[in-house]
Amino acid sequence: MSTTPDPADAGSTWHALAAHVERESVRACLVREAWEEAGLVVEPADLTLVHTVHVLDRADAEPRIQLFFAASRWSGAPAVREPEKCTAWEWWPLDALPEPTVAYTRAAIDGIRAGRAYTELGWDAPWGPARRSGRPRRAVGRAEPE
């Protein structure tokens, strides 16, 4: 995980390697960013999608889909290659993540550890559509009783 100095990017908060997809596939983006941000070489064939988070993190935000991949192998050791975006890389046990950790990163890691493929985050917050509409929400992955 890394931390960034920029408050616009959750400054001083620990986060997994992340990026905005440009005009490229998601796997190509991950391969590019792993090299640019951390000096890691990853092959697209070694990536497996392990979790998706659909996040609404504040009332005026656009909803986002966060995709988390596991790399079955890579080469290199994480290095700070963009100090204006990342100040450190550290490894943490999954059951002892540092504080503060970006909420959707923590939600994804918790979901992966629980064997879930999908998490919704922020949709039940006071600004979320479920609260504004007053409609009850279904739990993700559960069937409604008949």
Side-chain angles (χ1 to χ4, degrees):
M1 292 178 68
S2 70
T3 185
T4 176
D6 186 353
D9 290 323
S12 301
T13 303
W14 291 95
H15 199 319
L17 186 124
H20 294 274
V21 176
E22 296 172 5
R23 192 162 179 80
E24 61 197 337
S25 72
V26 171
R27 283 190 168 99
C29 174
L30 195 154
V31 166
R32 176 181 56 77
E33 288 292 334
W35 174 250
E36 289 176 5
E37 290 186 13
L40 300 173
V41 177
V42 181
E43 295 297 327
D46 294 329
L47 297 171
T48 302
L49 180 65
V50 293
H51 201 77
T52 301
V53 180
H54 192 196
V55 62
L56 182 64
D57 55 11
R58 59 184 194 280
D60 61 342
E62 287 292 322
R64 291 187 181 259
I65 301 286
Q66 308 293 351
L67 304 174
F68 287 80
F69 286 80
S72 58
R73 60 187 173 156
W74 67 88
S75 63
V80 175
R81 294 174 50 114
E82 296 179 325
E84 72 283 1
K85 295 181 181 178
C86 171
T87 58
W89 288 103
E90 297 285 338
W91 294 104
W92 303 92
L94 295 178
D95 61 353
L97 297 177
E99 290 294 341
T101 295
V102 171
Y104 73 79
T105 299
R106 184 176 294 278
I109 291 170
D110 290 347
I112 293 164
R113 292 183 72 213
R116 293 189 314 268
Y118 176 76
T119 299
E120 289 180 350
L121 185 63
W123 293 92
D124 289 330
W127 60 79
R131 293 285 179 94
R132 287 195 316 257
S133 71
R135 293 187 310 243
R137 303 240 325 146
R138 286 188 200 187
V140 175
R142 288 190 169 177
E144 287 290 313
E146 294 186 17

